[in-house]
Amino acid sequence: MYSKEELQRGLSTRLIGRKLFVFDHIDSTNTCAKALGDAGTDEGAVVLTDFQTQGKGRLGRTWNAEPGSNLLFTVLLRPQLAEETSNLLTFFAAVAVAKAIEFVTKRTIECKWPNDLLLNGKKCCGILLESSFKKNKLDYSVIGIGLNVNQKVFTPELSLSATSLAQECEAEFDRKQLLHRILEQMDFLYDDVRVGQFDRVLSEWQERSSMIGKSVTVSGYNNSFTGTVMSISTNGGLIIKTARGLATVYAGDVQINQ
Ligand code: BTN
C-alpha cells in the first residue's frame, strides 16, 4: 500500500482527499467513513485501503476484491441537499470515475443505472452510496468506490460479468495516478453538486448510458417488471414506460432485454 504522504504528493485537489485515512486492510471503507461522518469529520475526507474483510455491495451483497490490485475507497461529503436528491451523488461519483478511467485508458466507459460502470460491456466499478439525514436534510453521505484496476483473475461466478481495466486493456495501470485523476474530477464537479446543481453530472452520465429507449427488466426485492426506459428523473430514478403506465424506480437490478 502507498503511504498517506506518497498519495498526497502531487494531488491537486482543494477539498477531496485533503484529509486521507489509509489502511493496509480494514473491514469496509464505507463503515469507517460512516463512523467519521458520525464523529463530525469534515467533508472531503477519503478512506482508502488495499483489502477489505467485509467489503459491502449494493442490496446487501458483499464486494470481494483481490488484495493490492484495485482501488477501494470512500469519500465523505456534506453537500446541502434535500433527502430526495441525495441519490444523485451516485451519478456524480460515476461520472468522475468514468472520466478518470477514460483519460487513463483511452477507452469509453458505459454508465449502467444505478451504480455500475462497464468496460466492454462488463462491470469494472461499483459504487455504494450510504447517507445519514437530520430533519429531512442530508447530514452526510459516504460514497464507496470499488474499481477493479489490475486484478486478472475473477471467480467463475463473476468472470462472465466482471472485469478490470488491466484485463480489458492488456496493460497494468498506476493506481495512484488513477486515484488522483478520480479525486480531481470529483473536486471539480463538486462545486456544482454541493449546492444541488446536477445538470452537468446528469448530462455527462446520460451521454455514457445506452439504456434510454431500450427494453429492460427491473428486479427488486420481491417483484420484477418490464418496460422501456424513457429517461432519468431529476432525482436519479429510472423512468420506465410499462404496459400499465409510467413508473419511476429508485433501486433494483436492471437487465437490458435483447
Ligand atoms: C456494488 O456494485 O454493489 C457496489 C460496490 C461498492 C464497493 C465499494 S469498495 C469500497 C467501499 N467500501 C465498501 O464496503 N464498499 C464500497
Side-chain angles (χ1 to χ4, degrees), residues 28-30 52 55-58 63 74 115 123 126-127 144-146:
S28 152
T29 56
N30 267 37
Q52 298 183 120
K56 297 188 289 184
R58 214 166 49 93
W63 183 263
T74 301
N115 71 328
K123 178 165 173 172
I127 297 164
I145 293 165

Side-chain angles (χ1 to χ4, degrees), residues 26-31 47 49 52 54-65 71-74 115-116 123 125-130 143-147:
I26 194 172
D27 51 356
S28 152
T29 56
N30 267 37
T31 304
V47 182
T49 193
Q52 298 183 120
Q54 287 172 55
K56 297 188 289 184
R58 214 166 49 93
L59 305 174
R61 296 177 184 137
T62 53
W63 183 263
N64 295 314
L71 281 174
L72 304 166
F73 66 100
T74 301
N115 71 328
D116 294 349
K123 178 165 173 172
C125 177
I127 297 164
L128 179 64
L129 174 73
E130 297 184 90
I143 312 175
I145 293 165
L147 171 57

